[in-house]
Amino acid sequence: MSATRSPEVAAFLRRVLDAEFGLPDDSDGLATFQRAGVTAAARALDLFGGVLLADEVGLGKTHLACALAAQFDAVVVVAPAHLRGMWEQMCPGARVLTHARLARARPEELPAASLVVVDEAQRFTNPASARYRALA
Protein backbone atom coordinates (compact mmCIF):
# COMPACT_ATOMS: atom_id res chain seq x y z
CA MET A 1 0.00 0.00 0.00
CA SER A 2 1.13 3.50 -0.55
CA ALA A 3 -0.40 6.77 0.54
CA THR A 4 -0.34 10.40 -0.46
CA ARG A 5 -0.34 12.43 2.72
CA SER A 6 -3.21 14.86 3.17
CA PRO A 7 -4.38 16.77 6.26
CA GLU A 8 -7.01 14.07 6.88
CA VAL A 9 -4.40 11.30 6.66
CA ALA A 10 -2.03 13.18 8.94
CA ALA A 11 -4.82 13.65 11.52
CA PHE A 12 -5.70 9.94 11.38
CA LEU A 13 -2.05 8.93 11.80
CA ARG A 14 -1.69 11.24 14.79
CA ARG A 15 -4.75 9.57 16.39
CA VAL A 16 -3.30 6.13 15.65
CA LEU A 17 0.09 6.96 17.07
CA ASP A 18 -1.47 8.46 20.20
CA ALA A 19 -3.49 5.35 21.10
CA GLU A 20 -2.26 1.98 22.36
CA PHE A 21 -3.69 0.03 19.45
CA GLY A 22 -4.72 3.12 17.59
CA LEU A 23 -7.97 2.14 15.93
CA PRO A 24 -11.15 4.16 16.00
CA ASP A 25 -14.11 2.56 17.79
CA ASP A 26 -15.72 1.50 14.50
CA SER A 27 -13.05 -1.17 13.97
CA ASP A 28 -14.86 -3.85 16.04
CA GLY A 29 -14.29 -7.38 14.87
CA LEU A 30 -10.51 -7.18 14.63
CA ALA A 31 -8.36 -9.37 16.83
CA THR A 32 -5.82 -7.68 19.08
CA PHE A 33 -2.94 -8.74 16.82
CA GLN A 34 -4.80 -7.26 13.82
CA ARG A 35 -5.29 -3.98 15.70
CA ALA A 36 -1.57 -3.96 16.43
CA GLY A 37 -1.00 -4.64 12.72
CA VAL A 38 -3.10 -1.64 11.71
CA THR A 39 -1.11 0.50 14.13
CA ALA A 40 2.18 -0.76 12.70
CA ALA A 41 0.92 -0.21 9.15
CA ALA A 42 -0.15 3.35 10.01
CA ARG A 43 3.29 4.02 11.48
CA ALA A 44 4.96 2.71 8.33
CA LEU A 45 2.72 4.89 6.16
CA ASP A 46 3.65 7.89 8.27
CA LEU A 47 7.38 7.18 8.31
CA PHE A 48 7.95 5.72 4.85
CA GLY A 49 4.89 6.58 2.74
CA GLY A 50 4.10 2.90 2.18
CA VAL A 51 3.75 -0.46 3.88
CA LEU A 52 4.05 -4.12 2.91
CA LEU A 53 1.73 -6.62 4.58
CA ALA A 54 3.00 -10.19 4.47
CA ASP A 55 1.65 -12.92 6.71
CA GLU A 56 0.42 -16.49 6.73
CA VAL A 57 -2.75 -17.29 4.82
CA GLY A 58 -5.87 -16.78 6.93
CA LEU A 59 -4.54 -14.29 9.48
CA GLY A 60 -6.53 -11.37 8.15
CA LYS A 61 -4.35 -9.26 5.86
CA THR A 62 -7.47 -8.23 3.93
CA HIS A 63 -9.30 -7.23 7.12
CA LEU A 64 -6.26 -5.26 8.26
CA ALA A 65 -5.96 -3.49 4.89
CA CYS A 66 -9.68 -2.63 4.89
CA ALA A 67 -9.55 -1.30 8.47
CA LEU A 68 -6.73 1.00 7.45
CA ALA A 69 -8.38 1.89 4.13
CA ALA A 70 -11.58 2.91 5.93
CA GLN A 71 -9.69 5.92 7.29
CA PHE A 72 -8.94 7.31 3.82
CA ASP A 73 -11.19 9.24 1.45
CA ALA A 74 -10.13 7.93 -1.94
CA VAL A 75 -8.99 4.30 -1.87
CA VAL A 76 -8.02 2.26 -4.90
CA VAL A 77 -7.51 -1.49 -4.61
CA VAL A 78 -5.55 -3.23 -7.36
CA ALA A 79 -6.27 -6.96 -7.33
CA PRO A 80 -6.40 -10.03 -9.57
CA ALA A 81 -9.71 -10.37 -11.41
CA HIS A 82 -10.76 -13.43 -9.40
CA LEU A 83 -10.52 -11.40 -6.15
CA ARG A 84 -12.37 -8.31 -7.36
CA GLY A 85 -15.74 -9.30 -5.82
CA MET A 86 -14.15 -10.10 -2.48
CA TRP A 87 -12.46 -6.69 -2.34
CA GLU A 88 -15.66 -4.91 -3.37
CA GLN A 89 -17.49 -6.68 -0.53
CA MET A 90 -14.77 -6.16 2.08
CA CYS A 91 -13.96 -2.52 1.24
CA PRO A 92 -17.24 -1.11 -0.12
CA GLY A 93 -15.96 2.46 -0.42
CA ALA A 94 -12.89 1.52 -2.47
CA ARG A 95 -12.56 1.60 -6.22
CA VAL A 96 -11.32 -1.85 -7.30
CA LEU A 97 -9.21 -2.22 -10.44
CA THR A 98 -8.00 -5.55 -11.74
CA HIS A 99 -4.33 -6.04 -12.57
CA ALA A 100 -5.25 -6.37 -16.25
CA ARG A 101 -7.37 -3.19 -16.24
CA LEU A 102 -4.53 -1.27 -14.61
CA ALA A 103 -2.06 -2.50 -17.25
CA ARG A 104 -4.37 -1.41 -20.10
CA ALA A 105 -5.34 1.98 -18.68
CA ARG A 106 -3.89 5.27 -19.84
CA PRO A 107 -2.58 7.38 -16.93
CA GLU A 108 -5.39 9.91 -17.27
CA GLU A 109 -7.95 7.09 -16.90
CA LEU A 110 -6.66 6.03 -13.49
CA PRO A 111 -8.55 7.35 -10.46
CA ALA A 112 -6.88 9.65 -7.95
CA ALA A 113 -6.25 7.98 -4.62
CA SER A 114 -5.10 8.91 -1.13
CA LEU A 115 -4.35 5.20 -0.53
CA VAL A 116 -3.54 2.40 -2.98
CA VAL A 117 -3.81 -1.22 -1.84
CA VAL A 118 -2.14 -3.80 -4.09
CA ASP A 119 -3.16 -7.42 -3.61
CA GLU A 120 -0.76 -10.03 -5.00
CA ALA A 121 1.94 -7.35 -5.33
CA GLN A 122 4.52 -9.94 -6.38
CA ARG A 123 3.01 -9.59 -9.86
CA PHE A 124 4.47 -6.07 -10.07
CA THR A 125 8.18 -6.84 -9.82
CA ASN A 126 9.21 -6.46 -13.47
CA PRO A 127 9.97 -2.79 -14.28
CA ALA A 128 9.60 -3.57 -18.00
CA SER A 129 5.96 -4.70 -17.62
CA ALA A 130 2.90 -2.55 -18.33
CA ARG A 131 1.52 -3.44 -14.88
CA TYR A 132 4.61 -2.17 -13.11
CA ARG A 133 4.73 1.05 -15.15
CA ALA A 134 1.01 1.75 -14.56
CA LEU A 135 1.35 1.23 -10.82
CA ALA A 136 4.53 3.31 -10.56
Side-chain angles (χ1 to χ4, degrees):
M1 293 187 280
S2 64
T4 303
R5 192 175 304 210
S6 68
E8 296 83 19
V9 172
F12 166 68
L13 292 173
R14 276 193 299 280
R15 287 193 313 273
V16 166
L17 296 173
D18 287 343
E20 184 176 351
F21 287 111
L23 290 179
D25 291 337
D26 64 350
S27 63
D28 292 342
L30 292 178
T32 301
F33 74 91
Q34 290 169 320
R35 288 173 173 264
V38 173
T39 300
R43 286 183 179 134
L45 282 172
D46 187 42
L47 293 171
F48 307 112
V51 61
L52 174 68
L53 300 177
D55 215 337
E56 296 290 328
V57 173
L59 291 181
K61 294 178 295 294
T62 302
H63 292 284
L64 193 151
C66 290
L68 189 59
Q71 308 308 313
F72 291 80
D73 293 328
V75 177
V76 172
V77 175
V78 180
H82 71 280
L83 296 176
R84 182 179 182 159
M86 183 268 308
W87 278 104
E88 289 172 339
Q89 183 179 1
M90 295 291 296
C91 292
R95 169 99 186 263
V96 181
L97 298 176
T98 65
H99 290 182
R101 173 72 179 105
L102 178 70
R104 288 191 313 268
R106 294 190 311 259
E108 63 273 8
E109 296 174 330
L110 298 174
S114 56
L115 180 74
V116 177
V117 176
V118 181
D119 194 357
E120 302 291 337
Q122 74 275 9
R123 298 180 182 186
F124 292 85
T125 58
N126 181 357
S129 73
R131 281 182 191 161
Y132 182 97
R133 289 191 307 273
L135 190 58

